[in-house]
Amino acid sequence: SYGKPYPTDQIDSFYKDHSFLNFEEPIYSFVPSIGISNIFKIPNKFYDNGLNNIFFLTSLNGRSLFLLKFDENFQKLIFHEKIFIGERIRDIIYIDTLDKFILSFDGESALGIISSKK
């Protein structure tokens, strides 16, 4: 993360240089943080446009779903598209038999359903 520690964190310092702690630098960072909650690879069956390495990323703070495309070696983010949902998204699953994604919202007694337009 390139964010800031919470006021309640018991950390004396917060490192912006990940290599200092022997971590690799991220290939992309959402600044400010979107509160990533889950990432799910989109099956070709659902999103068959000849592209590979397409993912849904859900967010709590961003209240959005993000469509991500990585290069072949997952070394670069090719594009990301923000899809505003308006709810804090806690989880996402794919139901193969229905060819649909189900979103669960944080603090709501509701689910979201995403289907592809074929």
Side-chain angles (χ1 to χ4, degrees):
S1 172
Y2 287 107
K4 298 178 184 176
Y6 292 108
T8 57
D9 286 344
Q10 301 296 317
I11 300 173
D12 292 333
S13 59
F14 195 70
Y15 301 104
K16 298 291 184 179
D17 179 3
H18 297 90
S19 63
F20 177 79
L21 297 172
N22 295 319
F23 292 110
E24 290 184 31
E25 291 295 315
I27 61 171
Y28 187 83
S29 183
F30 290 92
V31 177
S33 174
I34 60 169
I36 295 172
S37 57
N38 209 326
I39 187 166
F40 199 101
K41 186 174 191 316
I42 300 174
N44 287 343
K45 174 183 175 182
F46 182 85
Y47 193 73
D48 186 18
N49 64 357
L51 296 177
N52 293 316
N53 301 333
I54 304 288
F55 290 79
F56 276 139
L57 181 143
T58 59
S59 69
L60 294 165
N61 188 37
R63 297 177 184 269
S64 298
L65 182 69
F66 291 80
L67 185 65
L68 308 175
K69 163 77 172 122
F70 292 93
D71 71 353
E72 274 187 33
N73 300 317
F74 295 94
Q75 297 298 310
K76 182 179 179 184
L77 181 65
I78 304 299
F79 71 79
H80 73 277
E81 178 183 350
K82 181 179 181 178
I83 304 164
F84 184 71
I85 302 295
E87 299 288 345
R88 291 169 49 93
I89 306 167
R90 175 59 64 186
D91 203 0
I92 184 170
I93 61 168
Y94 176 71
I95 310 290
D96 186 62
T97 55
L98 299 175
D99 194 26
K100 297 183 186 311
F101 280 92
I102 309 296
L103 302 172
S104 66
F105 302 124
D106 191 42
E108 296 289 326
S109 296
L111 298 172
I113 300 172
I114 302 171
S115 59
S116 64
K117 185 177 180 182
K118 303 229 179 181

